[in-house]
Amino acid sequence: MGIRVKYQLVGADGFRECFLADIKKFSEEIFPIMEEWPDDFPKMFKEKVLDIVERGAAALITSNIEEAELIDEIVFEYWDLLHNEQNEYISSPIKHYNYPGALSEVLPNCSNPASDYYQMLLFEGRTVVACPDYSFKSPDGIFCLSWLYPHEIIELKTEINSFEGILNGDENAVLAVDLLLRALTKAEQSRCSLLVTIG
């Protein structure tokens, strides 16, 4: 089937706040699973979940890369357990490798901010962790999760809209950008953040 892109709507405060709001519920559901399959989870997983439950956003601040990677793994398990398939707006019929690697491939003269949003959203991912010199790391090397806040959606959508009708590039690349535009439009109309998952 290939790796697919899914667009979902989350609260206006973004996925990070959604994760923090759900962390207690997640702990109640994941801990019995951990007791049954303890070898499937990394060392300190439970302790870090409890730390996030207790300290909230402060527990996402670290200067330790290993701790940052552990938090991303917790987010991966959280998404898979509580968020996967919920509020799905559109599942791309196009395999991820058909998405243009750079927005400029289909939108000539696109701005650096638009290119950066596009790159982060579809290729780099976005971490909930506040850690210097750290970016999102997928636990399995495939999964990618990122999101745009409402003001970022407006910035990117405005730029894509301005090029509508003069998209250049192969058919799949143009369709991929069109799907992104549709997802941005839906999120803007719903006054939500747009969550993008790849896997």
Side-chain angles (χ1 to χ4, degrees), residues 78-110:
Y78 156 77
W79 175 85
D80 196 46
L81 186 64
L82 296 186
H83 213 76
N84 192 8
E85 306 300 334
Q86 292 184 8
N87 302 318
E88 183 176 316
Y89 167 56
I90 187 168
S91 179
S92 172
I94 305 171
K95 294 174 183 175
H96 184 244
Y97 56 74
N98 288 129
Y99 275 68
L103 188 58
S104 59
E105 291 180 34
V106 291
L107 299 180
N109 303 316
C110 61

Side-chain angles (χ1 to χ4, degrees), residues 8 10 14-23 26-27 30 34 41-42 44-46 48-50 52 56-57 59-61 66-84 125-130 134-140 143-147 195-198:
Q8 297 171 288
V10 293
F15 180 76
R16 187 173 188 269
E17 293 305 314
C18 182
F19 168 69
L20 288 170
D22 286 342
I23 192 65
F26 169 70
S27 69
I30 198 70
M34 291 181 69
F41 296 88
M44 300 301 293
F45 187 99
K46 183 174 184 178
K48 190 60 195 179
V49 170
L50 290 171
I52 300 169
L60 303 180
I61 302 169
E66 289 181 359
E67 184 178 9
E69 291 174 354
L70 177 62
I71 294 169
D72 272 343
E73 186 144 356
I74 291 168
V75 168
F76 172 76
E77 294 293 343
Y78 156 77
W79 175 85
D80 196 46
L81 186 64
L82 296 186
H83 213 76
N84 192 8
R126 188 172 204 164
T127 183
V128 301
V129 183
Y134 177 78
S135 57
F136 175 82
K137 182 171 181 184
S138 170
D140 62 2
F143 177 77
C144 184
L145 177 148
S146 53
W147 68 95
L195 174 69
V196 178
T197 52
I198 297 163

Side-chain angles (χ1 to χ4, degrees), residues 168-183:
N168 297 322
D170 67 65
E171 185 178 341
N172 279 335
V174 171
L175 181 56
V177 173
D178 184 61
L179 284 167
L180 172 59
L181 178 59
R182 286 169 50 197

Side-chain angles (χ1 to χ4, degrees), residues 8-14 148-151 153 184 186-194:
Q8 297 171 288
L9 304 179
V10 293
D13 291 333
L148 291 179
Y149 293 102
H151 73 277
I153 288 168
L184 291 167
K186 178 68 173 180
E188 182 185 32
Q189 291 171 346
S190 303
R191 297 182 181 176
C192 293
S193 295
L194 179 66

